[in-house]
Amino acid sequence: MDVKVFQTFLEVAKEKHFGRASENLYITQAAVSARIKQLEEYFDTRLFTRHRNNIQLTSAGQRLVGYAEVMVSTLKQATFDLSLESNKALQLTLGGTPNIWDAICKML
């Protein structure tokens, strides 16, 4: 099972709207619906109740949230750890005003 399916599930659970979830994930609404359908078929249960612009988690959906959060965060952590192991450089970006250097030099 692709972790993107669980990311999509969590986004729909948070937004309670397939359209907003699709916008946040930069995928089509049809892709969101297909991923939710895939999860529901896999677990053989409904995860959301759908009533005109009112999407709610079922009790099974509520129980799945915790597991989905763990899987998504675990994958993110593994990706981070493996990128460090393969000596990939980390990037740090700082922002400031154009004259911040002047302020720092005065402090020195």
Side-chain angles (χ1 to χ4, degrees):
M1 175 79 53
D2 189 353
V3 75
K4 291 177 184 176
V5 175
F6 292 101
Q7 290 170 325
T8 303
F9 166 75
L10 290 172
E11 193 63 32
V12 173
K14 181 182 86 172
E15 291 293 335
K16 296 186 180 4
H17 194 275
F18 279 56
R20 284 192 298 271
S22 70
E23 290 171 7
N24 294 347
L25 296 168
Y26 303 104
I27 60 175
T28 65
Q29 190 169 341
V32 169
S33 296
R35 288 177 181 180
I36 297 303
K37 182 179 179 184
Q38 181 183 3
L39 265 181
E40 289 179 331
E41 288 176 355
Y42 181 82
F43 290 111
D44 193 28
T45 189
R46 305 235 347 141
L47 300 171
F48 295 97
T49 57
R50 300 159 178 92
H51 301 289
R52 275 200 145 154
N53 294 328
N54 184 16
I55 296 174
Q56 298 294 321
L57 284 167
T58 62
S59 62
Q62 290 171 355
R63 291 192 311 274
L64 183 59
V65 167
Y67 294 109
E69 289 171 341
V70 168
M71 288 193 295
V72 170
S73 67
T74 301
L75 181 65
K76 285 180 184 177
Q77 185 62 45
T79 302
F80 177 74
D81 287 347
L82 292 175
S83 69
L84 291 178
E85 186 176 286
S86 63
N87 296 323
K88 292 185 180 175
L90 295 176
Q91 179 179 348
L92 174 64
T93 304
L94 299 174
T97 61
N99 61 354
I100 196 161
W101 184 251
D102 296 332
I104 292 172
C105 288
K106 287 179 185 177
M107 292 171 38
L108 300 174

